[in-house]
Amino acid sequence: MSNYDKIDFKALAESTNEDVITYSRVRDVKLPSGKNFALITLDNDRDHNRPNTLGPATMIQLGEVLDQLKKRAKAGEIAGVGITGKPFILAAGADLSQIQNLKTKDQAKQIAQLGHYVFGKLDDLGVPSFCFINGLALGGGLEIALNSNYRTIDSSAAAIALPEVFLGIIPGWGGAYLLPNLIGIENALKVIIENPLKQNRMLKPADALSLGIADVMFSPARFLEDSLKWADTVISGKVKVKRPNEPGSVEKLAKWDIAINIARKSLEGKIGKVAKSPYAALDLIAASKKGTKAQGFEREDDVLSGTYRG
Amino acid sequence: MSTTADVFFIDGVRTPFGRAGEKGHYWQTRADDLVVKSMIALLERNPEIPKEAFDEVAIAATTQTGDQGLTIGRTAAILAGLPITVPGYAIDRMCAGAMTAVTQTGAGIGFGAYDLVIAGGVEHMGRHPMGEGVDPNPRFLSERIVSQDALQMGKTAERLHDRYPSLTKERADAYALHSQQKATAAYKAGKIQQDMIPVAVKSAEGWGLADNDQFLRPDTTLEGLGELKTPFRVGGKVTAGNSAGLTDGATASILASGDAVKKYGLKPKMRMVQFAFSGVEPEVMGWGPVPATDKALAKAGLTINDIGLFEINEAFAVQVIAFLEHYGIADDDSRVNPWGGAIAIGHPLASSGVRLMSQLARHFEEHPEVRYGITTMCVGLGQGGTVIWENVNYKG
Ligand SMILES: CC(C)(COP(=O)(O)OP(=O)(O)OC[C@H]1O[C@@H](n2cnc3c(N)ncnc32)[C@H](O)[C@@H]1OP(=O)(O)O)[C@@H](O)C(=O)NCCC(=O)NCCS
């Protein structure tokens, strides 16, 4: 298994020279029950016309913030961690302008590893993590949410999607493993492969809710207040979150491979075999029914560096 | 023919009150959002009322431009998710804006025109400093219609000290200290928080949650108060410690007719008995609550001795002790502002009236032996307003 801790991502950050950093700022808020909660705001200090992006320097900072919060959680200072965005925007994913400049396969792999390394921390804080999807969440933006333990969504969020396949890549920061395990095989195929190939169709917040990507939806006027109140009830155990489409072992045994085969045939019929990324995504989704999250993440690393063999 | 309806106060909430300016909770938060969030929380607390049943939304603001303009009662109603069939309007009587929103819509209920209303107010004194954009008619001064001091509230407070020499700075400071102490105790006991709705706020450090009043200073001492500057007059008596600070905040309340109470099974907290507004010389505007209270009591056929609880707005300590002295009530009488007042909590001008009412309603709950209480406040340019309320929990 990859030990992400041992990788030095600094060189990656230096070579990509990210011109707009998205900062991870933390404020403590008091939940209604009196518990202390750390709220991370992602903000690149530009207006909504320049969405938050997640380049290497941004990711390294977020990782450091999460490390500090893990320590604070251990010290009993916080009962939960939330992450949300600047007005109208959670995050629009990796900084694509940079990805196109990547020179080596090594760097591509490191980008994937950095995402897994940092976002993985959201599931290893020692306290529950929440993503409050307050607006646009694309690609890596949505993967922040998928890596969190719980998700709320603003009913006015502009769009929710994993558009990677549309861009010729794959959801490589956990999406290809986490999403099928959250919303089931057929829904995941739709979100990861079908929608991107339909002129990059995106989800509305209500779709994200009914699919089970979001656990609960609130209206925008008091979205953050309501999200914090809800997080409080989850932390205290008053609310038990049920995921409508989370696949059980029966689905994995009976439906998974059939759905994959149908999707593969339909893909071959529609787009032929030249385009690589839809098939790579398909392979990843197929594999996501088995094994650990760490293995899933490693498969994504391999695909992004071009070394994965299904 | 319909008969005069009872007017009930059903519920009231407010935002935490923030310090105006960059250090305040709401520096990056719009004024209309403050009142809209209050209204939404209020509606959520009272789910038995169908939203389309509201007949009116009256929201007060003193400076009605920008995010406090555009007929804020109407815009707030739409933004709070009320059906478009619910109308709304804006009100201004400076500090008594929300109080006037309550009395006007309450009067509409009494007349039989309304069954359910929302009344409240907002003032973002950081975004809209006092006196923003005003253009007083030059006749005020050229014809000496009002003194120059009348336009600056702190100066009117100094003038009140001048007029009644028994109202010393020591008494004002002692009153201010007591207000801080009472508010601190009420906070500790979780009383003030009951009707306060946390507000998500953007700041340079990211999103946070405003859930406290920023003016509260539990560490206040008489010595500390004694050393403060007197910004309104060299060697004066009025200081930042014995006045209400410049505040951002919003309030919202629901009033209902007796019919609506029955129809929707509401639990009223108090009944409006009578109200009155009255004018005084603008340069001693702090005196306003006295004639307003006299007038309201006379109309109600009551006397000051019938009043068991007082919520008086503390724009300035001197204005409160002037009122108390006039009626022979001690400065530290336990019936007066039991949870402290604006000196400790803040005074976002046009929103404060409803805060007084929500708190009086809570005091009534704790004091079933009290039948009547008043909310009263002074108003810029020389006015006072008083509303008399009856305790629905009263057990005689
Ligand atoms: C009185 C007034 C001018 C003061 O404004 P300000 O100077 O911005 O007030 P601040 O909060 O900064 O307080 C001034 C100082 O007093 C100190 N202070 C305030 N309250 C204190 C207290 N209870 N104990 C000790 N010190 C106190 C502050 O710490 C500050 O000290 P600093 O200058 O060393 O920082 C302003 O609050 C005002 O105009 N109030 C009246 C509002 C009004 O007219 N409302 C309408 C009524 S009709």
Side-chain angles (χ1 to χ4, degrees):
Chain A
M1 232 18 36
S2 307
N3 189 346
Y4 297 132
D5 263 321
K6 290 272 170 346
I7 304 172
D8 181 11
F9 294 106
K10 292 260 155 57
L12 181 69
E14 276 156 25
S15 74
T16 45
N17 167 33
E18 196 173 338
D19 60 338
V20 180
I21 303 239
T22 297
Y23 301 96
S24 300
R25 302 200 171 103
V26 184
R27 272 185 76 172
D28 281 12
V29 300
K30 199 164 266 137
L31 299 175
S33 64
K35 293 189 186 80
N36 210 27
F37 185 88
L39 181 59
I40 304 172
T41 303
L42 299 174
D43 194 341
N44 62 2
D45 292 344
R46 309 292 168 97
D47 73 9
H48 61 275
N49 292 310
R50 173 92 195 218
N52 294 332
T53 48
L54 305 166
T58 295
M59 293 294 282
I60 289 170
Q61 263 190 28
L62 174 59
E64 287 164 2
V65 163
L66 292 172
D67 287 342
Q68 278 164 18
L69 293 179
K70 182 173 178 170
K71 279 194 204 126
R72 295 190 59 204
K74 195 160 182 205
E77 289 171 28
I78 48 174
V81 171
I83 184 164
T84 191
K86 68 179 183 178
F88 309 112
I89 311 280
L90 177 61
D95 190 349
L96 290 170
S97 62
Q98 302 307 331
I99 294 225
Q100 267 129 31
N101 294 339
L102 289 181
K103 299 201 178 65
T104 65
K105 288 193 166 175
D106 258 13
Q107 283 191 327
K109 180 161 187 166
Q110 275 202 8
I111 292 261
Q113 290 173 322
L114 177 58
H116 289 131
Y117 175 51
V118 172
F119 287 179
K121 295 175 192 290
L122 284 165
D123 188 27
D124 185 34
L125 290 166
V127 291
S129 62
F130 297 79
C131 182
F132 305 140
I133 309 171
N134 65 307
L136 189 75
L138 302 180
L142 182 53
E143 284 167 310
I144 297 173
L146 295 173
N147 278 279
S148 302
N149 301 137
Y150 303 96
R151 289 155 290 276
T152 69
I153 194 164
D154 183 320
S155 61
S156 72
I160 310 299
L162 292 174
E164 284 82 353
V165 164
F166 174 77
L167 303 165
I169 49 177
I170 52 108
W173 284 351
Y177 174 83
L178 295 168
L179 191 68
N181 280 295
L182 181 67
I183 65 173
I185 181 67
E186 277 157 4
N187 292 324
L189 285 168
K190 188 174 215 168
V191 175
I192 295 175
I193 299 177
E194 257 179 62
N195 283 352
L197 293 179
K198 283 186 183 151
Q199 279 143 30
N200 203 17
R201 178 180 290 188
M202 309 213 171
L203 300 174
K204 295 262 167 289
D207 306 329
L209 178 70
S210 63
L211 288 174
I213 293 177
D215 297 314
V216 61
M217 182 163 78
F218 296 115
S219 65
R222 284 179 56 84
F223 172 70
L224 208 46
E225 291 93 332
D226 288 341
S227 292
L228 289 166
K229 229 197 284 180
W230 184 80
D232 197 22
T233 61
V234 172
I235 292 171
S236 69
K238 260 189 232 133
V239 162
K240 294 262 179 290
V241 176
K242 285 208 190 71
R243 306 252 154 82
N245 299 312
E246 192 172 337
S249 50
V250 176
E251 170 166 346
K252 289 187 171 178
L253 269 175
K255 268 170 81 183
W256 213 266
D257 295 345
I258 299 173
I260 293 283
N261 286 337
I262 295 173
R264 194 180 301 278
K265 290 229 172 67
S266 136
L267 262 185
E268 287 170 359
K270 277 192 203 133
I271 63 165
K273 291 185 180 172
V274 181
K276 290 219 172 62
S277 73
Y279 295 100
L282 195 62
D283 291 342
L284 287 173
I285 298 171
S288 71
K289 76 167 174 176
K290 284 199 303 246
T292 62
K293 187 176 86 170
Q295 288 166 338
F297 283 7
E298 196 159 285
R299 281 193 297 269
E300 293 173 2
D301 295 339
D302 290 343
V303 167
L304 276 178
S305 62
T307 57
Y308 180 67
R309 320 242 171 278
Chain B
M1 281 300 290
S2 73
T3 55
T4 304
D6 279 335
V7 182
F8 290 107
F9 185 90
I10 303 300
D11 197 10
V13 300
R14 69 174 174 95
T15 66
F17 285 173
R19 175 178 286 275
E22 277 175 62
K23 288 189 209 138
H25 285 318
Y26 304 122
W27 184 239
Q28 297 190 37
T29 304
R30 289 176 61 99
D32 48 5
D33 282 340
L34 291 180
V35 72
V36 165
K37 283 170 190 274
S38 306
M39 286 167 60
I40 293 173
L42 182 68
L43 293 168
E44 279 174 7
R45 272 165 56 135
N46 294 276
E48 58 281 16
I49 306 176
K51 288 184 182 168
E52 63 275 13
F54 287 98
D55 296 305
E56 190 70 277
V57 175
I59 301 297
T62 305
T63 305
Q64 298 193 355
T65 61
D67 57 355
Q68 293 186 171
L70 206 66
T71 309
I72 190 158
R74 175 60 172 162
T75 47
I78 296 172
L79 289 168
L82 287 168
I84 47 158
T85 48
V86 176
Y89 68 121
I91 285 195
D92 169 30
R93 198 200 296 269
M94 295 186 189
C95 300
M99 174 179 275
T100 304
V102 165
T103 56
Q104 295 322 288
T105 53
I109 292 172
F111 182 72
Y114 302 144
D115 276 307
L116 278 160
V117 300
I118 292 178
V122 58
E123 204 78 46
H124 198 307
M125 297 176 78
R127 286 181 168 229
H128 302 284
M130 271 192 290
E132 180 193 51
V134 299
D135 177 17
N137 194 303
R139 287 186 49 217
F140 276 117
L141 297 183
S142 65
E143 296 173 29
R144 297 175 200 281
I145 298 174
V146 301
S147 126
Q148 184 116 37
D149 291 349
L151 298 177
Q152 243 211 328
M153 297 308 123
K155 290 202 169 132
T156 72
E158 290 285 2
R159 293 282 291 260
L160 202 55
H161 273 294
D162 296 343
R163 183 173 288 197
Y164 301 102
S166 58
L167 308 177
T168 60
K169 176 160 192 300
E170 288 64 38
R171 273 176 72 187
D173 282 352
Y175 181 86
L177 173 66
H178 195 211
S179 179
Q180 293 279 5
Q181 290 168 338
K182 287 185 290 187
T184 301
Y187 251 90
K188 278 218 181 99
K191 292 175 191 283
I192 289 185
Q193 296 87 331
Q194 297 175 97
D195 297 317
M196 196 157 87
I197 53 123
V199 172
V201 288
K202 189 93 195 324
S203 71
E205 296 81 46
W207 288 103
L209 195 66
D211 58 3
N212 66 307
D213 294 325
Q214 287 183 299
F215 279 102
L216 194 66
R217 301 179 72 122
D219 52 351
T220 302
T221 61
L222 264 189
E223 297 69 44
L225 290 171
E227 286 162 11
L228 295 177
K229 283 190 226 123
T230 56
F232 301 107
R233 184 189 286 176
V234 179
K237 300 188 169 68
V238 179
T239 69
N242 62 30
S243 349
L246 306 172
T247 314
D248 306 330
T251 60
S253 66
I254 294 174
L255 305 181
S257 67
D259 286 350
V261 164
K262 269 196 220 113
K263 185 164 175 191
Y264 300 111
L266 309 180
K267 288 201 190 62
K269 293 182 167 168
M270 48 190 196
R271 187 180 73 84
M272 191 189 287
V273 176
Q274 192 50 270
F275 66 85
F277 293 89
S278 180
V280 296
E281 298 99 308
E283 51 273 19
V284 286
M285 66 94 206
W287 186 249
V290 172
T293 301
D294 284 343
K295 194 167 161 184
L297 286 171
K299 280 179 188 290
L302 297 171
T303 72
I304 197 76
N305 301 322
D306 293 311
I307 304 303
L309 282 162
F310 298 80
E311 273 293 332
I312 175 164
N313 194 44
E314 298 170 354
F316 300 96
V318 62
Q319 148 254 316
V320 181
I321 55 178
F323 176 93
L324 297 178
E325 184 164 280
H326 174 79
Y327 290 112
I329 300 168
D331 291 359
D332 61 355
D333 192 297
S334 63
R335 296 169 300 169
V336 179
N337 294 4
W339 298 350
I343 287 170
I345 290 169
H347 173 30
L349 310 183
S351 68
S352 286
V354 164
R355 178 185 69 79
L356 303 179
M357 292 166 198
S358 311
Q359 287 197 187
L360 179 63
R362 292 289 179 186
H363 305 325
F364 275 159
E365 272 171 16
E366 292 186 6
H367 292 281
E369 77 284 5
V370 171
R371 179 151 188 199
Y372 296 109
I374 64 169
T375 53
T376 183
M377 56 207 308
C378 58
V379 186
L381 283 181
Q383 298 191 68
T386 298
V387 188
I388 305 174
W389 300 93
E390 183 178 24
N391 186 358
V392 297
N393 311 294
Y394 173 64
K395 307 226 162 45

